[in-house]
Amino acid sequence: MRHKISYKDRSPPWNPRRWAYPEVVARLTALHHAWEEARVSDSGSAMSSWWMQHLEPHLRVILDGDTGPMANATSDRSLMGLPAMPDEPVPAGVLAVILEQNDRAGR
């Protein structure tokens, strides 16, 4: 399925190297997981819900030309963007506690 996406006086904020944008990768991965869940669902409205509650909101963010993750992609499709926020690795002891809590929550 294809739709025309219109942007006034510019091309849509899309970079073919979408894999270089962690937020885009995370959103597309989440969309895929939700699609698979909807696809095997017995609910007759599961696919409609996927379109309305998952795809459309994520695409609005991904393709937002002002604040989306690829908003600073240049017309020559080179990778441009804002600098990454500072990050520090999670200390091993803290990570172990988080993983243990997630394990217990998943049971």
Side-chain angles (χ1 to χ4, degrees):
M1 201 178 276
R2 291 183 177 203
H3 291 267
K4 181 178 180 181
I5 301 172
S6 61
Y7 292 87
K8 294 179 182 176
D9 303 325
R10 61 182 170 175
S11 61
W14 181 258
N15 189 314
R17 291 182 288 172
R18 61 196 169 276
W19 45 264
Y21 297 83
E23 181 180 353
V24 174
V25 171
R27 287 177 178 277
L28 293 176
T29 300
L31 280 169
H32 175 75
H33 289 293
W35 166 269
E36 289 299 331
E37 186 177 310
R39 186 180 63 82
V40 299
S41 174
D42 292 333
S43 170
S45 64
M47 292 308 296
S48 178
S49 294
W50 180 83
W51 285 91
M52 295 173 59
Q53 297 174 3
H54 297 280
L55 180 66
E56 292 170 359
H58 282 295
L59 282 184
R60 274 194 292 278
V61 172
I62 290 170
L63 297 176
D64 186 310
D66 294 321
T67 62
M70 294 187 283
N72 292 322
T74 60
S75 60
D76 69 355
R77 304 297 189 210
S78 60
L79 180 61
M80 293 287 294
L82 301 172
M85 294 177 70
D87 185 39
E88 292 183 12
V90 179
V94 174
L95 182 58
V97 170
I98 292 169
L99 292 174
E100 183 180 325
Q101 289 172 345
N102 286 343
D103 265 357
R104 281 186 291 200
R107 290 181 193 160

